[in-house]
Amino acid sequence: VRFNKSSIKHFFMLELERAYWAGAMDSDGSFSLTLSVSRTKNSSILITPNVKIAWKEVYFQTLLDAKEKYGFGKIYFSNKGKPDGTVMWQSTNLEDAIKFCQFVHPYLTIKKERVTKFIEICKYWKKTDIRKNRRIGERTRSKKDIEKIVKIAISLNEGRQTERWREWRGWDYWKPIIDKLYGDLDKVQKKRESRVCSNCKSSETY
């Protein structure tokens, strides 16, 4: 394979960008999964990915340029115009969170293990989304799926300072909710599958 000078330069510039933002995430970034319960007829547990970098307000232009270049996220200010003002680049979109984490993952050091779990559970969330259940008004994931997702989300989130994030809740909080919402779900699904199989057998002709 032949590489011209332009393609080599582009490759190294891209890798430098990845290393730069990985360093930013290691030092000033965070990855978390917010758990909540939907307010629908068949309530279910939801996750919202949260990827962000927070810097002093004087570095606003750098984060704005990144937002425009990569095409995702939003810019937020805290104490704007004051000496302790900060600017934050944040995304809560699942697809964008996965892409950005994969982008910086090879160059992460401090948070590499956490981001590996973050990517894993975001992909698992997508994989277990049974859309046909959504169309008929049922929950889109099984109890087993939700338990795995919630446990990993908790393990990612518990490292954050509880003084700064008072809404953090552990497994003791979420387990009763999962049991209540999904306790009979697996039984209902198995019963439906059994009924479908029985109907298929009864319709066979010889």
Side-chain angles (χ1 to χ4, degrees):
V1 180
R2 287 187 175 183
F3 295 96
N4 57 42
K5 290 183 179 180
S6 178
S7 63
I8 293 174
K9 181 179 179 181
H10 175 75
F11 171 79
F12 280 108
M13 289 299 294
L14 178 62
E15 294 308 297
L16 282 173
E17 282 186 35
R18 298 176 75 180
Y20 177 85
W21 289 112
M25 291 305 299
D26 266 336
S27 59
D28 302 305
S30 66
F31 308 83
S32 64
L33 294 165
T34 302
L35 297 167
S36 60
V37 179
S38 65
R39 297 180 179 180
T40 56
K41 182 179 180 181
N42 288 322
S43 296
S44 58
I45 291 176
L46 304 175
I47 67 164
T48 302
N50 192 325
V51 178
K52 63 183 178 182
I53 298 174
W55 282 344
K56 290 184 178 180
E57 189 181 342
V58 292
Y59 300 111
F60 157 71
Q61 192 61 49
T62 302
L63 292 183
L64 179 62
D65 290 345
K67 172 187 174 297
E68 293 178 349
K69 179 173 183 177
Y70 300 117
F72 71 85
K74 294 183 179 180
I75 299 293
Y76 299 95
F77 290 91
S78 177
N79 297 323
K80 188 174 183 180
K82 297 181 180 180
D84 60 344
T86 59
V87 58
M88 180 172 66
W89 178 31
Q90 179 183 33
S91 176
T92 57
N93 178 276
L94 183 68
E95 295 289 348
D96 292 336
I98 293 173
K99 288 178 182 177
F100 184 73
C101 287
Q102 290 176 326
F103 180 69
V104 300
H105 184 268
Y107 293 97
L108 290 168
T109 54
I110 300 170
K111 297 172 182 174
K112 191 163 191 173
E113 184 178 348
R114 288 168 58 83
V115 173
T116 300
K117 289 183 179 180
F118 183 91
I119 295 171
E120 174 194 346
I121 208 61
C122 285
K123 286 185 174 181
Y124 191 73
W125 180 260
K126 285 181 59 180
K127 179 182 176 182
T128 56
D129 185 5
I130 307 173
R131 295 187 177 276
K132 66 178 182 180
N133 284 6
R134 184 182 297 176
R135 289 197 299 269
I136 60 177
E138 294 184 356
R139 296 183 182 91
T140 59
R141 295 170 182 84
S142 68
K143 182 180 180 182
K144 184 178 179 180
D145 291 335
I146 288 296
E147 286 179 338
K148 177 179 178 178
I149 290 165
V150 169
K151 285 179 179 178
I152 294 180
I154 290 171
S155 72
L156 287 172
N157 297 342
E158 65 184 351
R160 300 174 67 178
Q161 297 180 24
T162 54
E163 293 82 2
R164 296 177 61 188
W165 192 27
R166 297 179 181 178
E167 294 183 359
W168 181 84
R169 297 184 175 97
W171 180 246
D172 289 343
Y173 174 85
W174 287 104
K175 186 179 184 303
I177 295 176
I178 294 172
D179 290 340
K180 180 180 179 181
L181 297 179
Y182 298 85
D184 297 326
L185 183 60
D186 290 338
K187 293 180 182 179
V188 171
Q189 289 176 338
K190 288 179 180 179
K191 187 179 293 185
R192 182 180 293 106
E193 291 171 0
S194 176
R195 187 165 60 247
V196 170
C197 289
S198 298
N199 291 337
C200 290
K201 288 181 180 180
S202 63
S203 63
E204 290 178 354
T205 55
Y206 298 91

